[in-house]
Amino acid sequence: MPKDVVAPLANPADGVNKAEARIRVYGVNLVADLPLAYWHYPSVGTPDLYVRQASPRSLAGEESACVYASDRQNEQGESWLLLYRGLEGDCLRVSGQVDFWLNGAAIGYTPWAGSAAVDIEGYLLGVVLAYWLELQGIPVVHASAALGPGGVVGFLSHSGHGKSGLAAALMAGGGALLTDDLLPLEERAGRFWGRPGFPTMRMWPDEATFFLGGYEALPRVHPDLEKRRIRVGESGFGRFCAETQPLACLYVPQRRPPDDSDPTISIEPLSPVEAMIELVRHSFVARLAQAVGLQPRRLDFFSRLVRTTPVRRLRYPSGFEHLPRVREAILEDAARLQP
């Protein structure tokens, strides 16, 4: 087995102790008492963070401490996500679903009536851990990434713009997945690195059919969605890299509309200013970070990153049949960029 691949922890549904999971995600050794639906890797050291169910707390009297309320609203007309700051840490509220209480090396979660464990896990692996990492000085961008020439090849994109498909295309060519959807970045002695996520991908049925030959037997991400969970690594699709890796290149993909018959694949460099704009635009929790005063630190981090790491715009045609050509173009481009 290659050095960068580790046997994954089984799905909790396969018999792993649901009372306490010890996993490593985004470079963090985490202990959680939450039943897990996604596939994860086991922790490899002393816990950095504990996630446990917490008793309900009142935010009464702290309304003035609400520093962020999302424009997106739920069916009741409430802001979908709110951030409160208090003397005992921060509270991230997913309205009608769950409260997360962040205080140093501990995150408590308080489910609301009717909330599902799989949804709580999804929020934890997304906005909650992204915000917690930002508090630790680890900026997080909305990207999927796989290993290519020289290290991490990442694709900066919002949902539905092809980043998972591009990462899967690299995996189909032998590259290992680093992360799907959320890429934490760190700096070590002037060099930039990408942290691994967890060995699970999420694909729509047509995408899963292209890469795996079918989708019907795959578990749904959510009972109300057609999107499916894909196990990565042993007994699954492709390989997974469980170690932090040097950042080789970031691409900003632009997939042409399906009715555009132009088969051309083009890759062009972005200026440092353009690259900065894309990094901010594709930050995972930029508004939360801004609400608590982290944005100047993040901008300084990104300004250093774009001076050393190539950021490129990738234009390519729609259609899964084009992905092998797109993969070869990316790999050739990334190889040329290596010193």
Side-chain angles (χ1 to χ4, degrees):
M1 184 177 290
K3 184 178 179 181
D4 61 347
V5 181
V6 183
L9 189 69
N11 188 330
D14 298 332
V16 171
N17 180 10
K18 297 181 182 181
E20 185 174 84
R22 294 175 176 266
I23 63 174
R24 184 168 177 83
V25 57
Y26 308 136
V28 178
N29 289 320
L30 186 151
V31 177
D33 66 358
L34 177 69
L36 301 176
Y38 292 88
W39 287 279
H40 292 278
Y41 267 68
S43 63
V44 293
T46 303
D48 304 304
L49 180 63
Y50 292 86
V51 178
R52 294 189 170 120
Q53 187 165 348
S55 300
R57 304 183 201 174
S58 173
L59 289 169
E62 293 190 27
E63 294 302 322
S64 61
C66 180
V67 297
Y68 172 79
S70 66
D71 294 333
R72 174 185 168 188
Q73 296 183 337
N74 60 18
E75 294 178 355
Q76 289 70 44
E78 304 163 324
S79 290
W80 173 76
L81 183 68
L82 300 105
L83 172 61
Y84 294 85
R85 304 215 89 184
L87 296 177
E88 297 183 3
D90 295 353
C91 175
L92 273 172
R93 167 167 289 178
V94 183
S95 294
Q97 293 289 317
V98 59
D99 290 342
F100 290 94
W101 310 91
L102 290 76
N103 189 352
I107 296 178
Y109 65 94
T110 306
W112 290 34
S115 60
V118 66
D119 292 331
I120 296 172
E121 182 185 3
Y123 301 136
L124 174 68
L125 295 172
V127 64
V128 176
L129 282 180
Y131 177 64
W132 185 86
L133 286 165
E134 293 276 1
L135 293 174
Q136 315 310 310
I138 306 293
V140 180
V141 292
H142 206 172
S144 295
L147 296 192
V152 176
V153 176
F155 302 101
L156 292 166
S157 175
H158 296 302
S159 298
H161 290 270
K163 63 184 182 300
S164 293
L166 291 168
L170 264 60
M171 294 167 64
L177 177 73
L178 185 79
T179 187
D180 184 31
D181 201 45
L182 191 158
L183 174 61
L185 302 168
E186 65 175 88
E187 185 178 10
R188 299 179 185 175
R191 191 173 187 186
F192 294 86
W193 300 68
R195 289 189 174 194
F198 48 97
T200 305
M201 297 188 79
R202 289 166 284 199
M203 295 184 183
W204 292 106
D206 57 349
E207 197 172 21
T209 298
F210 178 79
F211 287 109
L212 292 100
Y215 71 92
E216 292 85 355
L218 299 170
R220 294 174 184 254
V221 169
H222 187 277
D224 297 333
L225 294 177
E226 281 294 323
K227 207 168 193 180
R228 307 300 169 119
R229 292 197 304 271
I230 311 298
R231 183 173 187 163
V232 176
E234 188 175 331
S235 303
F237 170 60
R239 300 184 299 132
F240 181 76
C241 176
E243 301 296 331
T244 298
Q245 298 290 330
L247 193 60
C249 186
L250 292 172
Y251 292 90
V252 182
Q254 288 187 345
R255 187 170 53 193
R256 294 192 182 90
D259 59 357
D260 187 336
S261 60
D262 184 356
T264 305
I265 300 167
S266 66
I267 299 175
E268 59 188 31
L270 297 183
S271 70
V273 172
E274 292 172 320
M276 279 279 293
I277 291 172
E278 295 295 346
L279 284 164
V280 173
R281 188 162 73 95
H282 293 101
S283 294
F284 204 84
V285 289
R287 293 185 178 181
L288 291 177
Q290 183 174 3
V292 296
L294 299 179
Q295 199 70 308
R297 184 176 72 186
R298 302 176 80 254
L299 293 175
D300 187 53
F301 178 98
F302 289 149
S303 70
R304 296 193 302 275
L305 185 151
V306 299
R307 290 197 294 267
T308 61
T309 303
V311 183
R312 323 269 281 171
R313 191 175 306 281
L314 165 67
R315 294 186 174 90
Y316 67 105
S318 292
F320 295 120
E321 69 275 14
H322 297 290
L323 285 178
R325 286 196 308 118
V326 177
R327 175 181 65 233
E328 294 309 311
I330 292 168
L331 293 176
E332 290 176 8
D333 182 70
R336 285 195 298 268
L337 294 172
Q338 299 311 302

